[in-house]
PDB file of all heavy atoms in Angstrom:
ATOM      1  N   ALA A 109      86.445 -13.880 -99.515  1.00 75.00           N
ATOM      2  CA  ALA A 109      85.564 -14.111-100.663  1.00 75.00           C
ATOM      3  C   ALA A 109      84.735 -15.371-100.465  1.00 75.00           C
ATOM      4  O   ALA A 109      83.541 -15.409-100.794  1.00 75.00           O
ATOM      5  CB  ALA A 109      86.398 -14.208-101.942  1.00 75.00           C
ATOM      6  N   LEU A 110      85.353 -16.414 -99.912  1.00 73.00           N
ATOM      7  CA  LEU A 110      84.625 -17.661 -99.656  1.00 73.00           C
ATOM      8  C   LEU A 110      83.513 -17.456 -98.637  1.00 73.00           C
ATOM      9  O   LEU A 110      82.406 -17.970 -98.811  1.00 73.00           O
ATOM     10  CB  LEU A 110      85.586 -18.724 -99.123  1.00 73.00           C
ATOM     11  CG  LEU A 110      86.158 -19.695-100.121  1.00 73.00           C
ATOM     12  CD1 LEU A 110      87.099 -20.659 -99.429  1.00 73.00           C
ATOM     13  CD2 LEU A 110      85.097 -20.431-100.874  1.00 73.00           C
ATOM     14  N   SER A 111      83.801 -16.710 -97.574  1.00 74.00           N
ATOM     15  CA  SER A 111      82.760 -16.505 -96.562  1.00 74.00           C
ATOM     16  C   SER A 111      81.593 -15.714 -97.153  1.00 74.00           C
ATOM     17  O   SER A 111      80.440 -16.006 -96.855  1.00 74.00           O
ATOM     18  CB  SER A 111      83.328 -15.820 -95.326  1.00 74.00           C
ATOM     19  OG  SER A 111      83.774 -14.524 -95.629  1.00 74.00           O
ATOM     20  N   LYS A 112      81.880 -14.737 -98.011  1.00 71.00           N
ATOM     21  CA  LYS A 112      80.799 -13.987 -98.667  1.00 71.00           C
ATOM     22  C   LYS A 112      79.971 -14.917 -99.557  1.00 71.00           C
ATOM     23  O   LYS A 112      78.754 -14.820 -99.605  1.00 71.00           O
ATOM     24  CB  LYS A 112      81.371 -12.845 -99.505  1.00 71.00           C
ATOM     25  CG  LYS A 112      81.879 -11.701 -98.675  1.00 71.00           C
ATOM     26  CD  LYS A 112      82.497 -10.619 -99.547  1.00 71.00           C
ATOM     27  CE  LYS A 112      83.159  -9.552 -98.689  1.00 71.00           C
ATOM     28  NZ  LYS A 112      83.968  -8.643 -99.477  1.00 71.00           N
ATOM     29  N   LEU A 113      80.658 -15.815-100.264  1.00 71.00           N
ATOM     30  CA  LEU A 113      79.963 -16.765-101.134  1.00 71.00           C
ATOM     31  C   LEU A 113      79.047 -17.668-100.310  1.00 71.00           C
ATOM     32  O   LEU A 113      77.875 -17.849-100.635  1.00 71.00           O
ATOM     33  CB  LEU A 113      80.975 -17.616-101.912  1.00 71.00           C
ATOM     34  CG  LEU A 113      80.400 -18.755-102.747  1.00 71.00           C
ATOM     35  CD1 LEU A 113      79.572 -18.210-103.900  1.00 71.00           C
ATOM     36  CD2 LEU A 113      81.504 -19.647-103.269  1.00 71.00           C
ATOM     37  N   LEU A 114      79.570 -18.202 -99.218  1.00 71.00           N
ATOM     38  CA  LEU A 114      78.781 -19.127 -98.408  1.00 71.00           C
ATOM     39  C   LEU A 114      77.610 -18.423 -97.725  1.00 71.00           C
ATOM     40  O   LEU A 114      76.542 -19.010 -97.566  1.00 71.00           O
ATOM     41  CB  LEU A 114      79.678 -19.838 -97.395  1.00 71.00           C
ATOM     42  CG  LEU A 114      80.723 -20.764 -98.035  1.00 71.00           C
ATOM     43  CD1 LEU A 114      81.656 -21.345 -96.978  1.00 71.00           C
ATOM     44  CD2 LEU A 114      80.083 -21.870 -98.840  1.00 71.00           C
ATOM     45  N   VAL A 115      77.775 -17.160 -97.343  1.00 69.00           N
ATOM     46  CA  VAL A 115      76.667 -16.404 -96.764  1.00 69.00           C
ATOM     47  C   VAL A 115      75.615 -16.135 -97.832  1.00 69.00           C
ATOM     48  O   VAL A 115      74.406 -16.248 -97.588  1.00 69.00           O
ATOM     49  CB  VAL A 115      77.172 -15.087 -96.122  1.00 69.00           C
ATOM     50  CG1 VAL A 115      76.025 -14.159 -95.817  1.00 69.00           C
ATOM     51  CG2 VAL A 115      77.952 -15.389 -94.850  1.00 69.00           C
ATOM     52  N   SER A 116      76.052 -15.808 -99.045  1.00 67.00           N
ATOM     53  CA  SER A 116      75.109 -15.530-100.135  1.00 67.00           C
ATOM     54  C   SER A 116      74.294 -16.758-100.511  1.00 67.00           C
ATOM     55  O   SER A 116      73.165 -16.644-100.983  1.00 67.00           O
ATOM     56  CB  SER A 116      75.859 -15.043-101.373  1.00 67.00           C
ATOM     57  OG  SER A 116      76.536 -13.851-101.089  1.00 67.00           O
ATOM     58  N   VAL A 117      74.837 -17.924-100.297  1.00 66.00           N
ATOM     59  CA  VAL A 117      74.175 -19.178-100.649  1.00 66.00           C
ATOM     60  C   VAL A 117      72.882 -19.362 -99.851  1.00 66.00           C
ATOM     61  O   VAL A 117      71.957 -20.041-100.297  1.00 66.00           O
ATOM     62  CB  VAL A 117      75.150 -20.355-100.420  1.00 66.00           C
ATOM     63  CG1 VAL A 117      74.447 -21.686-100.337  1.00 66.00           C
ATOM     64  CG2 VAL A 117      76.195 -20.370-101.518  1.00 66.00           C
ATOM     65  N   GLU A 118      72.803 -18.736 -98.682  1.00 66.00           N
ATOM     66  CA  GLU A 118      71.608 -18.863 -97.841  1.00 66.00           C
ATOM     67  C   GLU A 118      70.331 -18.452 -98.586  1.00 66.00           C
ATOM     68  O   GLU A 118      69.247 -18.897 -98.239  1.00 66.00           O
ATOM     69  CB  GLU A 118      71.767 -18.028 -96.565  1.00 66.00           C
ATOM     70  CG  GLU A 118      72.837 -18.541 -95.624  1.00 66.00           C
ATOM     71  CD  GLU A 118      72.548 -19.922 -95.095  1.00 66.00           C
ATOM     72  OE1 GLU A 118      71.384 -20.230 -94.766  1.00 66.00           O
ATOM     73  OE2 GLU A 118      73.493 -20.723 -95.023  1.00 66.00           O
ATOM     74  N   LYS A 119      70.470 -17.638 -99.611  1.00 66.00           N
ATOM     75  CA  LYS A 119      69.302 -17.168-100.371  1.00 66.00           C
ATOM     76  C   LYS A 119      68.760 -18.237-101.323  1.00 66.00           C
ATOM     77  O   LYS A 119      67.711 -18.052-101.914  1.00 66.00           O
ATOM     78  CB  LYS A 119      69.670 -15.934-101.199  1.00 66.00           C
ATOM     79  CG  LYS A 119      70.125 -14.756-100.394  1.00 66.00           C
ATOM     80  CD  LYS A 119      70.534 -13.629-101.344  1.00 66.00           C
ATOM     81  CE  LYS A 119      71.212 -12.509-100.604  1.00 66.00           C
ATOM     82  NZ  LYS A 119      71.759 -11.504-101.512  1.00 66.00           N
ATOM     83  N   TYR A 120      69.509 -19.319-101.481  1.00 65.00           N
ATOM     84  CA  TYR A 120      69.150 -20.325-102.489  1.00 65.00           C
ATOM     85  C   TYR A 120      68.885 -21.674-101.829  1.00 65.00           C
ATOM     86  O   TYR A 120      69.792 -22.486-101.670  1.00 65.00           O
ATOM     87  CB  TYR A 120      70.274 -20.451-103.527  1.00 65.00           C
ATOM     88  CG  TYR A 120      70.500 -19.169-104.275  1.00 65.00           C
ATOM     89  CD1 TYR A 120      71.414 -18.228-103.816  1.00 65.00           C
ATOM     90  CD2 TYR A 120      69.781 -18.887-105.429  1.00 65.00           C
ATOM     91  CE1 TYR A 120      71.611 -17.035-104.487  1.00 65.00           C
ATOM     92  CE2 TYR A 120      69.966 -17.696-106.115  1.00 65.00           C
ATOM     93  CZ  TYR A 120      70.880 -16.775-105.633  1.00 65.00           C
ATOM     94  OH  TYR A 120      71.070 -15.595-106.298  1.00 65.00           O
ATOM     95  N   PRO A 121      67.633 -21.953-101.461  1.00 64.00           N
ATOM     96  CA  PRO A 121      67.324 -23.208-100.764  1.00 64.00           C
ATOM     97  C   PRO A 121      67.641 -24.446-101.603  1.00 64.00           C
ATOM     98  O   PRO A 121      68.066 -25.463-101.060  1.00 64.00           O
ATOM     99  CB  PRO A 121      65.830 -23.118-100.457  1.00 64.00           C
ATOM    100  CG  PRO A 121      65.323 -21.909-101.141  1.00 64.00           C
ATOM    101  CD  PRO A 121      66.474 -21.098-101.632  1.00 64.00           C
TER     102      PRO A 121
END
Side-chain angles (χ1 to χ4, degrees):
L110 264 179
S111 65
K112 287 177 187 169
L113 174 67
L114 295 175
V115 167
S116 298
V117 162
E118 293 297 320
K119 299 177 189 173
Y120 298 91

